């Protein structure tokens, strides 16, 4: 059983990632959900995390608030993709759950100390501000982190918020640099792979006809979420980014990648947040990330569907 912390900025695709993790009870123990500002401000992402826990019938996983702004820069959000609430497409309400009083940063540090021997895996689905603040506040946590698996970056695919940068890295490039320089084992799921998991029509149909409220609401979330990218890319379906982090933990063998050096652009405004991937090893820079560029997309959707339909409600 892998002990994980999910750091997230829900976001409809984050929601599907959370639901996939909650449905994988035999393989994953979700110690907590830590929220960061990204797709929408922190006050929305934290409430959205509560909504997705309740939608999934999960009341025993604590939710924590982390960073409301990037380390140095002004927050950039993505309401144009996710809507004003960040979970547009549904009318979810929070009934019982509340955010914990402890900060996300202190919670992650406490978990690192508590599970020093067993190790924890951090699943990062948003800007890396919380993770960078943990590594800065208590560098010793690196000994407790088995791996950071993050959705972020892009190289062969270019960027999505600018021609050069993917959103999560763009929002807080200084945080991404701290994480990539930390020496922790890192697996990156960039646009190069998430643009190969385009929402499939039969996947949505299977969610809708399941008769489960959680699956039906998930389909409504995706209907709203994918409209922007379908229009932008002219594709049949929108890229389902964040669940790739969870599916990688469940079925790593459906992914392909390479251990390479990845550097983050933090100086140029033109290429701010660009992930410079030394894919062909043309520099002597030390490899610091397992960079994934391929996936068996049918298998990916099979796993997400199976786990979301495993939810009890
Ligand atoms: O670029 C896609 C990423 O940015 C996803 O994690 C999405 O939820 C947003 O956070
Ligand atoms: Ca996200």
């Amino acid at each position: 059983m892998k002990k994980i912390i999910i750091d997230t900025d829900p976001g409809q695709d984050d929601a599907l990632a959370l639901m996939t993790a909650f449905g994988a009870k035999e393989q994953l123990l979700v110690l907590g959900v830590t929220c960061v500002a990204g797709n929408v401000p922190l006050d929305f992402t934290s409430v959205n995390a509560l909504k997705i826990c309740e939608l999934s019938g999960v009341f025993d996983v604590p939710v924590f608030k982390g960073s409301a702004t990037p380390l140095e820069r002004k927050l950039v959000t993505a309401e144009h993709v996710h809507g004003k609430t960040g979970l547009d497409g549904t009318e979810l309400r929070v009934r019982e759950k509340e955010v914990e009083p402890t900060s996300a940063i202190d919670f992650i540090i406490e978990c690192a100390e508590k599970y020093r021997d067993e190790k924890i895996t951090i699943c990062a689905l948003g800007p890396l501000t919380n993770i960078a603040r943990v590594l800065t506040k208590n560098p010793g946590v690196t000994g407790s982190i088995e791996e950071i698996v993050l959705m972020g970056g892009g190289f062969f695919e270019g960027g999505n918020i600018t021609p050069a940068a993917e959103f999560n890295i763009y929002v807080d490039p200084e945080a991404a640099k701290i994480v990539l320089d930390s020496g922790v084992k890192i697996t990156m799921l960039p646009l190069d792979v998430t643009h190969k998991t385009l929402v499939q029509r039969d996947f949505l149909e299977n969610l809708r006809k399941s008769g489960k409220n959680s699956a039906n609401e998930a389909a409504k979330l995706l209907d709203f979420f994918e409209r922007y990218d379908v229009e932008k890319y002219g594709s049949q379906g929108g890229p389902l980014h964040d669940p790739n982090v969870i599916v990688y933990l469940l079925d790593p063998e459906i992914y392909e990648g390479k251990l390479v050096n990845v550097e983050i652009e933090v100086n140029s405004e033109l290429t701010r947040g660009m992930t410079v991937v030394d894919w062909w090893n043309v520099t002597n820079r030390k490899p610091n990330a397992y960079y994934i560029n391929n996936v068996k997309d049918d298998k990916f959707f099979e796993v997400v569907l199976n786990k979301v339909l495993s939810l009890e409600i």
Side-chain angles (χ1 to χ4, degrees), residues 106 108-117 120 138 141 144:
D106 289 340
I108 295 172
I109 291 171
E110 285 165 18
C111 281
E113 285 159 1
K114 183 175 177 185
Y115 297 108
R116 177 161 290 280
D117 298 336
I120 60 174
N138 189 335
V141 300
S144 305

Side-chain angles (χ1 to χ4, degrees), residues 6-303:
I6 302 177
D7 193 74
T8 178
D9 63 333
Q12 292 88 350
D13 61 321
D14 303 69
L16 266 288
L18 288 166
M19 296 172 81
T20 304
F22 292 151
K25 285 191 174 58
E26 310 72 39
Q27 299 105 313
L28 304 174
L29 173 61
V30 183
L31 299 173
V33 174
T34 53
C35 302
V36 65
N39 286 320
V40 286
L42 181 64
D43 285 347
F44 283 101
T45 60
S46 47
V47 168
N48 290 345
L50 298 174
K51 288 178 178 179
I52 297 305
C53 286
E54 290 198 356
L55 173 66
S56 308
V58 168
F59 291 85
D60 57 352
V61 173
V63 174
F64 302 86
K65 280 177 92 166
S67 310
T69 61
L71 295 181
E72 296 176 18
R73 296 172 189 260
K74 190 171 169 306
L75 178 64
V76 171
T77 52
E79 286 87 349
H80 58 291
V81 178
H82 298 270
K84 184 178 180 335
T85 69
L87 287 184
D88 283 31
T90 62
E91 299 294 328
L92 297 175
R93 294 270 176 279
V94 182
R95 288 179 171 68
E96 278 176 51
K97 275 188 77 66
E98 291 180 358
V99 169
E100 302 296 321
T102 309
S103 80
I105 282 76
D106 289 340
F107 169 72
I108 295 172
I109 291 171
E110 285 165 18
C111 281
E113 285 159 1
K114 183 175 177 185
Y115 297 108
R116 177 161 290 280
D117 298 336
E118 299 151 85
K119 308 271 187 248
I120 60 174
T121 296
I122 293 178
C123 300
L125 312 182
L128 293 163
T129 317
N130 289 344
I131 315 305
R133 286 176 59 194
V134 164
L135 292 167
T136 305
K137 183 172 181 179
N138 189 335
V141 300
T142 55
S144 305
I145 301 174
E146 181 176 352
E147 182 177 17
I148 296 173
V149 186
L150 67 94
M151 190 278 140
F155 186 62
F156 300 103
E157 273 295 290
N160 59 0
I161 188 75
T162 73
E166 177 278 327
F167 179 79
N168 287 340
I169 309 298
Y170 177 81
V171 168
D172 200 339
E174 285 74 19
K177 182 166 175 46
I178 288 169
V179 171
L180 279 163
D181 290 350
S182 68
V184 172
K185 181 184 176 189
I186 291 170
T187 297
M188 287 181 78
L189 289 114
L191 298 179
D192 303 330
V193 66
T194 68
H195 279 193
K196 294 175 180 171
T197 54
L198 303 181
V199 176
Q200 299 175 351
R201 297 312 97 195
D202 57 353
F203 170 73
L204 285 177
E205 212 32 59
N206 286 327
L207 287 174
R208 288 193 188 94
K209 69 184 184 188
S210 68
K212 289 199 167 182
N213 178 60
S214 52
N216 192 47
E217 291 297 315
K220 287 158 61 178
L221 285 167
L222 292 182
D223 282 341
F224 181 90
F225 170 67
E226 67 168 348
R227 86 214 178 285
Y228 179 83
D229 283 329
V230 164
E231 169 74 24
K232 174 178 171 183
Y233 296 111
S235 49
Q236 284 307 304
L240 190 52
H241 305 287
D242 292 339
N244 277 284
V245 169
I246 306 303
V247 175
Y248 174 76
L249 291 180
L250 298 173
D251 269 335
E253 68 281 356
I254 71 171
Y255 290 91
E256 292 173 347
K258 210 168 154 183
L259 185 62
V260 293
N261 174 268
V262 180
E263 298 294 333
I264 307 292
E265 175 59 72
V266 293
N267 296 312
S268 151
E269 266 319 296
L270 177 64
T271 54
R272 155 193 170 170
M274 181 175 182
T275 44
V276 181
V277 180
D278 186 3
W279 186 258
W280 303 113
N281 194 26
V282 296
T283 74
N284 59 359
R285 293 195 287 253
K286 188 165 173 279
N288 57 354
Y290 183 60
Y291 189 87
I292 292 181
N293 70 328
N294 211 353
V295 62
K296 291 176 182 162
D297 64 326
D298 288 346
K299 185 72 181 139
F300 165 81
F301 281 104
E302 195 183 295
V303 173

